[in-house]
Amino acid sequence: MAKLDEQALHREMTAWRHDLHTHPEFGFEEKRTAAFVAEKLREFGLEVAEGIGGTGVVGTLTRGSGNRAIALRADMDALRIAEQGTMDYRSQTPGTMHACGHDGHTSMLLGAAKLLANEGGFDGTVRFIFQPAEEWGRGALAMLDDGLLERFPFEEIFGLHNMPGLPIGHFETRVGPIMSAEDNFEIVLKGVGGHAARPHAGQETLVAACALVVNLQTIVSRRLSPADIGVVSVTELITDGTRNALPGFARILGDARSFRPEVSAAIESEMRRIAQGTAQAYNVAADVTYTREFVPLVNDAGLVDEAFVAARSVLADDAVGAAAEPMTGSEDFARFLVHVPGCFVFLGNGASAPLHNPSYDFNDEGLLHGARFHAAVARRRLAAGS
């Protein structure tokens, strides 16, 4: 099979990435993006299925006679953030931008598909999964509910994410938990509002809400074991008050992060207890809603070893290392690992702005590294005779 000119591929991937960055789409709205992906995959000679889980795309490439199948996954959605970048390819969709690099992830996986379609080097089937709606933790479930595993079976799955601050061409992953679960909570306090000059005449909720925000911080510091990682963050406090009126209603919203179901359950239990106790102390009522949005991302030990070997085959040895500790960010890729073993890795994005920042931009110098890594994983896991 023909050997690709990798520098020409890099230029092509850069053009794809800039096009996707210019036209970002929010979760389950990725119609243009999905059509772009499907068109490229067909150009490369893959079998393509569209509309999986709404706007998901699956490309299938088979070589040789091997009966094993693996999956490589990229996310396609953008965020509801107004871009502050000034580059020529900045977002043309008001209030939406690729602030997490999914345009780069999609382009890297397309590059890997072109590499493998042209050069082969594996014996079996590769599924290229382009997932919608990663940012709000619904896309993987939608694809799974749409029969992803039954219609496009695979035995293991690999994914990657760019990492600002990690140098270009550098690679990190780790065995076991690498990204956390995310739980969301809403606590509604109800009392009796009234005039700001007469607080004794009602049961206002603002002081109770302020006390509750502080009390929630004791869950991690006093109720969880120091050996467990947990985060409880209040992100919004909303009332129905005004400058000279005390509120009779308050909403506290936030999220919690953990790496074990037992810790998540403990956070919820303590939150309910503290909310009720604080509300009683201030003579108001409390109602707690607690939901689990993302599950922990737990890497398979054997596939982590395989990912390290694949990375060292395409990157410098001293650029491949183990992540020192898990991240408390969350990732929808974890849903796939409930069903099949897999491995999620980080590739350097250099000295860029942070993820989810309005000035963030994916670093095009990392595109070829990601494509090479995807291809190396496929070739290693589907080596002849494996």
Side-chain angles (χ1 to χ4, degrees):
M1 292 187 177
K3 177 75 173 175
L4 278 183
D5 179 341
E6 288 195 344
Q7 294 311 308
L9 177 62
H10 183 249
R11 290 191 295 271
E12 194 172 16
M13 293 165 68
T14 300
W16 300 338
R17 210 278 295 180
H18 290 186
D19 181 272
L20 294 171
H21 192 94
T22 303
H23 303 285
E25 295 171 300
F26 193 62
F28 294 127
E29 298 173 4
E30 309 97 333
K31 293 182 179 179
R32 183 189 184 278
T33 304
F36 181 96
V37 166
E39 179 185 4
K40 295 301 176 187
L41 293 175
R42 289 191 176 102
E43 284 180 12
F44 308 155
L46 276 69
E47 297 178 18
V48 179
E50 300 178 71
I52 312 303
T55 48
V57 179
V58 177
T60 297
L61 181 64
T62 299
R63 292 287 184 268
S65 57
N67 59 6
R68 295 187 63 248
I70 71 163
L72 306 173
R73 173 270 201 177
D75 37 18
M76 302 188 294
D77 56 321
L79 285 153
R80 297 287 197 214
I81 295 176
E83 184 162 18
Q84 294 180 2
T86 59
M87 57 279 198
D88 293 342
Y89 55 86
R90 62 187 175 275
S91 171
Q92 293 182 5
T93 306
T96 303
M97 70 169 290
H98 273 294
C100 203
H102 296 185
D103 50 343
H105 302 165
T106 296
S107 299
M108 288 190 287
L109 191 53
L110 284 174
K114 185 166 186 177
L115 269 174
L116 290 169
N118 278 267
E119 299 181 359
F122 66 97
D123 184 25
T125 296
V126 183
R127 312 286 191 190
F128 297 86
I129 297 174
F130 293 85
Q131 181 203 313
E134 186 282 325
E135 292 291 355
W136 47 304
R138 294 292 182 269
L141 278 176
M143 296 189 83
L144 290 165
D145 289 345
D146 202 12
L148 176 71
L149 291 172
E150 294 77 24
R151 297 164 65 185
F152 314 97
F154 51 88
E155 299 168 25
E156 56 197 48
I157 186 168
F158 295 82
L160 61 80
H161 204 292
N162 78 93
M163 182 57 61
L166 188 66
I168 292 292
H170 283 238
F171 168 104
E172 286 187 351
T173 190
R174 73 192 309 271
V175 172
I178 187 170
M179 297 189 76
S180 73
E182 180 188 359
D183 305 339
N184 289 169
F185 62 84
E186 177 184 41
I187 305 174
V188 174
L189 300 178
K190 295 180 181 179
V192 178
H195 200 290
R198 295 175 55 80
H200 60 286
Q203 291 90 44
E204 58 93 5
T205 57
L206 187 54
V207 172
C210 292
L212 181 52
V213 169
V214 174
N215 290 343
L216 290 177
Q217 304 312 305
T218 66
I219 295 175
V220 173
S221 65
R222 290 296 178 267
R223 307 313 303 170
L224 297 185
S225 166
D228 282 315
I229 299 174
V231 179
V232 175
S233 294
V234 172
T235 56
E236 294 183 80
L237 172 54
I238 304 164
T239 76
D240 64 346
T242 188
R243 183 175 179 181
N244 62 349
L246 294 169
F249 174 89
R251 292 174 68 216
I252 297 170
L253 297 97
D255 80 12
R257 310 287 174 133
S258 59
F259 290 91
R260 296 195 299 118
E262 297 86 348
V263 175
S264 172
I267 290 173
E268 179 183 4
S269 176
E270 289 298 317
M271 183 174 294
R272 292 184 181 279
R273 183 183 63 80
I274 289 171
Q276 295 301 329
T278 304
Q280 184 176 9
Y282 287 88
N283 197 26
V284 298
D287 181 66
V288 179
T289 301
Y290 196 96
T291 61
R292 290 173 173 84
E293 307 299 321
F294 290 81
V295 298
L297 199 167
V298 182
N299 278 338
D300 178 85
L303 296 185
V304 167
D305 290 342
E306 292 291 293
F308 277 130
V309 174
R312 291 190 178 99
S313 73
V314 293
L315 301 170
D317 272 358
D318 60 358
V320 178
E325 56 187 25
M327 287 182 58
T328 49
S330 300
E331 167 58 62
D332 201 24
F333 181 84
R335 293 286 183 184
F336 297 119
L337 303 191
V338 174
H339 302 275
V340 296
C343 178
F344 197 72
V345 311
F346 299 116
L347 289 179
N349 201 54
S352 71
L355 301 173
H356 293 210
N357 182 286
S359 296
Y360 169 86
D361 188 26
F362 182 90
N363 192 327
D364 293 322
E365 294 304 310
L367 288 169
L368 201 52
H369 296 302
R372 286 171 173 160
F373 170 72
H374 279 309
V377 165
R379 288 166 174 156
R380 179 164 181 82
R381 297 303 299 154
L382 296 175
S386 64

